Amino acid sequence: MAPDTPPDPRSAPARAPATGAGGLRRADGSPLRVLVVDDEASLADLLSMALRYEGWEVRSAESGVAAVRAARDFRPDAVVLDIMLPDFDGLEVMQRIRYDTPDLPVLFLTAKDAVEDRIAGLTAGGDDYVTKPFSLEEVVARLRGLLRRSGAASARPDSLLAVGDLTLDEDSREVHRGGEAIHLTATEFELLRYLMRNPRRVLSKAQILDRVWSYDFGGQANVVELYISYLRRKVDAGREPMIHTMRGAGYVLKPAKTTP
């Protein structure tokens, strides 16, 4: 993947099942709704795919006018909002949207990284601020926090992922295999979670990079090989392996043939 080129959105993972893989839903059990506003179509598509993977409903807009119209029709629970738009800026978009929904959480997204720009966005009423380039995981994590604090989301009770004798709790971030605790770094946890959300599915290096690392990650694909090796040492060490390499295709996680 070229250092300065965002990945092809077609290589991103497919949408998660409508059970709310990210662990958060509305209080009535329906999917959370997020409006993504960015005039970079490829970036908006990539963000939308990542949010849909959380089990959320997503709508996107590429201008301020379209964003205000979409907000009135879609009634989102949160907005990811680029400050720099072709017609009017994100600050004005937020003011217009909040005329109808004053407490709507807004996460500003922009290439501006000067301190004064951050202060302006937050002073104007933004709830959080992320600068480009950014990690998709960071955006999702910040949205989860905003949605919880706003009261729009509630944690689903079945936050436990299980593949064979391997379990991962998305809420407590605890991992066990055969009842034995496994301690992972933050990146190892996200990589394992992605594998466990897609059991028996071969995932390419490009898909894993898109999901676990920054959307414009400038490193080499061998970072995936490196972290797969870290996971194997912790998940498969001394046990029948669950993480398999499919030569020329990618990696797949599946239950061990003999699971206790």
Coordinates of all heavy atoms in Angstrom, one line a residue, residues 69-117:
R69 N -29.7 18.6 5.6 CA -30.8 17.9 5.0 C -30.8 16.4 5.6 O -31.9 15.9 6.0 CB -30.8 17.9 3.5 CG -32.0 17.3 2.9 CD -31.9 17.3 1.4 NE -31.7 18.6 0.9 CZ -30.6 19.0 0.2 NH1 -29.7 18.1 0.0 NH2 -30.5 20.2 -0.3
A70 N -29.6 15.8 5.5 CA -29.6 14.4 6.0 C -29.9 14.3 7.5 O -30.5 13.3 7.9 CB -28.2 13.8 5.7
A71 N -29.4 15.2 8.2 CA -29.6 15.2 9.7 C -31.1 15.2 10.0 O -31.6 14.5 10.9 CB -28.9 16.3 10.4
R72 N -31.8 16.1 9.3 CA -33.3 16.2 9.5 C -34.0 14.9 9.1 O -35.0 14.6 9.8 CB -33.8 17.4 8.8 CG -33.4 18.7 9.3 CD -33.8 19.9 8.5 NE -33.3 21.2 9.0 CZ -33.3 22.3 8.4 NH1 -33.8 22.4 7.1 NH2 -32.9 23.4 9.0
D73 N -33.5 14.3 8.1 CA -34.2 13.1 7.6 C -33.8 11.8 8.4 O -34.6 11.0 8.7 CB -33.9 12.9 6.1 CG -34.5 11.6 5.5 OD1 -35.8 11.5 5.7 OD2 -33.8 10.8 5.0
F74 N -32.5 11.7 8.6 CA -31.9 10.5 9.2 C -32.0 10.4 10.7 O -32.0 9.4 11.3 CB -30.4 10.4 8.8 CG -29.7 9.2 9.1 CD1 -30.2 7.9 8.8 CD2 -28.4 9.3 9.7 CE1 -29.5 6.8 9.1 CE2 -27.7 8.1 10.1 CZ -28.3 6.9 9.8
R75 N -32.0 11.6 11.4 CA -32.1 11.7 12.8 C -31.0 10.9 13.5 O -31.2 9.9 14.2 CB -33.4 11.2 13.4 CG -34.7 11.8 12.7 CD -34.7 13.3 12.9 NE -35.0 13.7 14.2 CZ -35.1 15.0 14.7 NH1 -35.0 15.9 13.8 NH2 -35.3 15.2 15.9
P76 N -29.7 11.3 13.2 CA -28.6 10.5 13.8 C -28.4 10.7 15.3 O -28.9 11.6 15.9 CB -27.4 11.1 13.1 CG -27.8 12.6 12.8 CD -29.3 12.5 12.5
D77 N -27.7 9.7 15.9 CA -27.3 9.8 17.3 C -26.0 10.5 17.5 O -25.7 10.9 18.6 CB -27.3 8.3 17.9 CG -28.6 7.6 17.7 OD1 -29.6 8.1 18.4 OD2 -28.7 6.6 17.0
A78 N -25.2 10.6 16.5 CA -23.9 11.3 16.5 C -23.5 11.7 15.1 O -24.0 11.2 14.1 CB -22.9 10.5 17.2
V79 N -22.7 12.7 15.0 CA -22.2 13.2 13.7 C -20.7 13.3 13.7 O -20.1 13.8 14.7 CB -22.8 14.6 13.4 CG1 -22.3 15.1 12.1 CG2 -24.3 14.6 13.5
V80 N -20.1 12.8 12.7 CA -18.6 13.0 12.4 C -18.5 14.0 11.4 O -19.0 13.9 10.3 CB -18.0 11.7 11.9 CG1 -16.5 11.9 11.7 CG2 -18.1 10.5 12.9
L81 N -18.0 15.2 11.7 CA -18.1 16.4 10.9 C -16.8 17.0 10.6 O -16.1 17.5 11.4 CB -19.0 17.4 11.7 CG -19.3 18.7 11.1 CD1 -20.0 18.6 9.7 CD2 -20.2 19.5 12.0
D82 N -16.5 17.1 9.3 CA -15.3 17.8 8.8 C -15.6 19.3 8.9 O -16.6 19.8 8.5 CB -15.0 17.4 7.3 CG -13.7 17.8 6.8 OD1 -12.9 18.5 7.6 OD2 -13.4 17.6 5.7
I83 N -14.6 20.0 9.4 CA -14.8 21.5 9.5 C -14.7 22.2 8.1 O -15.4 23.1 7.8 CB -13.7 22.1 10.5 CG1 -14.1 21.7 11.9 CG2 -13.6 23.6 10.3 CD1 -13.2 22.4 12.9
M84 N -13.8 21.7 7.2 CA -13.6 22.3 5.9 C -14.5 21.6 4.9 O -14.3 20.5 4.5 CB -12.2 22.2 5.5 CG -11.2 22.8 6.5 SD -11.5 24.6 6.7 CE -11.0 25.2 5.1
L85 N -15.6 22.4 4.5 CA -16.6 21.9 3.5 C -16.7 22.8 2.4 O -16.3 24.0 2.5 CB -17.9 21.6 4.2 CG -18.0 20.5 5.3 CD1 -19.3 20.6 6.0 CD2 -17.7 19.2 4.7
P86 N -17.2 22.4 1.2 CA -17.1 23.3 0.0 C -18.1 24.5 0.1 O -17.9 25.5 -0.6 CB -17.5 22.3 -1.1 CG -18.2 21.2 -0.4 CD -17.6 21.0 0.9
D87 N -19.2 24.4 0.8 CA -20.1 25.5 0.9 C -20.0 26.3 2.1 O -19.6 27.5 2.1 CB -21.6 25.0 0.7 CG -21.9 23.7 1.5 OD1 -21.1 23.3 2.3 OD2 -23.0 23.2 1.3
F88 N -20.3 25.8 3.3 CA -20.1 26.5 4.5 C -19.4 25.6 5.5 O -19.5 24.3 5.4 CB -21.3 27.2 5.1 CG -22.5 26.3 5.2 CD1 -22.8 25.5 6.3 CD2 -23.4 26.2 4.1 CE1 -23.9 24.7 6.4 CE2 -24.6 25.4 4.2 CZ -24.8 24.6 5.3
D89 N -18.7 26.1 6.5 CA -17.9 25.3 7.4 C -18.7 24.4 8.4 O -19.9 24.6 8.6 CB -16.8 26.1 8.1 CG -17.4 27.1 9.1 OD1 -18.4 26.8 9.7 OD2 -16.7 28.1 9.3
G90 N -17.9 23.5 9.0 CA -18.6 22.5 9.9 C -19.2 23.2 11.1 O -20.1 22.7 11.7
L91 N -18.6 24.3 11.5 CA -19.2 25.0 12.7 C -20.6 25.5 12.4 O -21.5 25.4 13.3 CB -18.3 26.2 13.1 CG -16.8 25.9 13.5 CD1 -16.1 27.2 13.8 CD2 -16.8 24.9 14.6
E92 N -20.8 26.0 11.2 CA -22.2 26.4 10.9 C -23.1 25.2 10.7 O -24.3 25.3 11.1 CB -22.1 27.3 9.6 CG -23.5 27.9 9.2 CD -23.5 28.8 8.1 OE1 -22.4 29.2 7.7 OE2 -24.5 29.2 7.6
V93 N -22.6 24.2 10.1 CA -23.4 22.9 10.0 C -23.8 22.5 11.4 O -25.0 22.1 11.5 CB -22.5 21.8 9.3 CG1 -23.3 20.5 9.4 CG2 -22.2 22.2 7.9
M94 N -22.9 22.4 12.3 CA -23.3 22.0 13.7 C -24.4 22.9 14.3 O -25.3 22.4 14.9 CB -22.0 22.0 14.6 CG -22.3 21.6 16.0 SD -20.9 21.7 17.1 CE -20.6 23.4 17.1
Q95 N -24.3 24.2 14.1 CA -25.3 25.1 14.6 C -26.6 24.9 14.0 O -27.7 24.8 14.7 CB -24.8 26.6 14.4 CG -23.6 27.0 15.2 CD -23.1 28.4 14.8 OE1 -23.6 29.0 13.9 NE2 -22.1 28.8 15.5
R96 N -26.7 24.6 12.7 CA -28.0 24.4 12.0 C -28.6 23.0 12.5 O -29.8 22.9 12.7 CB -27.8 24.4 10.5 CG -27.3 25.7 10.0 CD -27.4 25.8 8.5 NE -26.9 27.0 7.9 CZ -27.0 27.4 6.6 NH1 -27.7 26.6 5.8 NH2 -26.6 28.5 6.2
I97 N -27.7 22.0 12.6 CA -28.2 20.7 13.0 C -28.7 20.7 14.4 O -29.8 20.1 14.7 CB -27.1 19.6 12.8 CG1 -26.8 19.4 11.4 CG2 -27.5 18.3 13.5 CD1 -25.6 18.4 11.1
R98 N -28.0 21.4 15.3 CA -28.4 21.5 16.7 C -29.6 22.4 16.9 O -30.1 22.4 18.1 CB -27.2 21.9 17.5 CG -26.2 20.7 17.7 CD -25.1 21.1 18.7 NE -24.3 20.0 19.1 CZ -23.2 20.1 19.8 NH1 -22.7 21.2 20.1 NH2 -22.5 19.0 20.1
Y99 N -30.1 23.1 15.9 CA -31.3 23.8 16.1 C -32.4 22.9 16.4 O -33.3 23.2 17.3 CB -31.6 24.6 14.8 CG -32.8 25.5 14.9 CD1 -32.8 26.7 15.6 CD2 -34.1 25.0 14.4 CE1 -33.9 27.5 15.7 CE2 -35.2 25.8 14.5 CZ -35.1 27.1 15.2 OH -36.3 27.8 15.3
D100 N -32.4 21.7 15.8 CA -33.5 20.7 16.0 C -33.1 19.7 17.2 O -34.0 19.3 17.9 CB -33.8 19.9 14.8 CG -34.3 20.8 13.6 OD1 -35.2 21.7 14.0 OD2 -33.9 20.6 12.5
T101 N -31.8 19.4 17.3 CA -31.4 18.5 18.3 C -30.2 19.1 19.1 O -29.0 18.8 18.7 CB -31.0 17.1 17.7 OG1 -30.0 17.4 16.6 CG2 -32.2 16.4 17.1
P102 N -30.5 19.9 20.1 CA -29.4 20.7 20.8 C -28.3 19.8 21.4 O -27.2 20.3 21.5 CB -30.2 21.4 21.8 CG -31.6 21.4 21.4 CD -31.8 20.2 20.6
D103 N -28.6 18.6 21.8 CA -27.6 17.8 22.5 C -26.9 16.7 21.6 O -26.3 15.8 22.1 CB -28.3 17.1 23.7 CG -28.8 18.1 24.7 OD1 -28.2 19.1 24.9 OD2 -29.9 17.8 25.3
L104 N -27.1 16.8 20.3 CA -26.5 15.9 19.4 C -25.0 15.9 19.5 O -24.3 16.9 19.3 CB -26.9 16.2 18.0 CG -26.4 15.2 16.9 CD1 -27.1 13.8 17.1 CD2 -26.8 15.8 15.5
P105 N -24.3 14.7 19.8 CA -22.9 14.7 19.9 C -22.2 14.9 18.6 O -22.6 14.3 17.6 CB -22.6 13.2 20.4 CG -23.9 12.8 21.0 CD -25.0 13.4 20.2
V106 N -21.2 15.7 18.6 CA -20.5 16.0 17.3 C -19.0 15.8 17.5 O -18.3 16.3 18.5 CB -20.7 17.5 16.9 CG1 -19.8 17.9 15.7 CG2 -22.1 17.7 16.6
L107 N -18.4 15.0 16.6 CA -17.0 14.7 16.6 C -16.4 15.5 15.4 O -16.7 15.1 14.3 CB -16.7 13.2 16.5 CG -15.2 12.8 16.3 CD1 -14.4 13.2 17.5 CD2 -15.1 11.3 16.0
F108 N -15.6 16.5 15.6 CA -15.0 17.2 14.5 C -13.8 16.5 13.9 O -13.0 15.9 14.6 CB -14.5 18.6 15.0 CG -15.6 19.7 15.0 CD1 -15.9 20.3 16.2 CD2 -16.4 19.9 13.9 CE1 -16.9 21.3 16.3 CE2 -17.4 20.9 14.0 CZ -17.6 21.6 15.1
L109 N -13.8 16.5 12.6 CA -12.7 15.8 11.8 C -12.2 16.8 10.8 O -12.9 17.3 10.0 CB -13.4 14.6 11.1 CG -12.5 13.7 10.3 CD1 -11.6 12.9 11.2 CD2 -13.4 12.8 9.5
T110 N -10.9 17.0 10.9 CA -10.3 18.0 10.0 C -8.8 17.9 9.9 O -8.1 17.2 10.7 CB -10.6 19.5 10.6 OG1 -10.0 20.4 9.7 CG2 -10.0 19.6 12.0
A111 N -8.2 18.4 8.8 CA -6.8 18.4 8.6 C -6.1 19.5 9.4 O -4.9 19.5 9.6 CB -6.5 18.6 7.1
K112 N -6.9 20.4 10.0 CA -6.3 21.5 10.8 C -5.8 20.9 12.1 O -6.6 20.2 12.8 CB -7.3 22.6 11.0 CG -7.7 23.4 9.8 CD -8.6 24.5 10.2 CE -8.9 25.4 9.0 NZ -9.7 26.6 9.3
D113 N -4.6 21.2 12.5 CA -4.1 20.6 13.7 C -3.5 21.7 14.7 O -2.9 21.4 15.7 CB -3.0 19.6 13.5 CG -1.8 20.1 12.7 OD1 -1.8 21.3 12.3 OD2 -0.9 19.3 12.4
A114 N -3.7 23.0 14.3 CA -3.3 24.1 15.2 C -4.1 24.1 16.4 O -5.3 23.8 16.4 CB -3.3 25.4 14.4
V115 N -3.5 24.5 17.5 CA -4.2 24.5 18.8 C -5.4 25.5 18.7 O -6.5 25.1 19.2 CB -3.2 25.0 19.9 CG1 -4.0 25.2 21.2 CG2 -2.1 24.0 20.1
E116 N -5.3 26.6 18.0 CA -6.4 27.6 18.0 C -7.6 27.0 17.3 O -8.7 27.3 17.6 CB -5.9 28.9 17.3 CG -5.3 28.7 15.9 CD -3.8 28.6 15.9 OE1 -3.3 28.1 17.0 OE2 -3.2 28.9 14.9
D117 N -7.3 26.1 16.3 CA -8.4 25.5 15.5 C -9.2 24.5 16.4 O -10.4 24.4 16.4 CB -7.9 24.8 14.3 CG -7.4 25.8 13.3 OD1 -8.0 26.8 13.1 OD2 -6.4 25.5 12.6

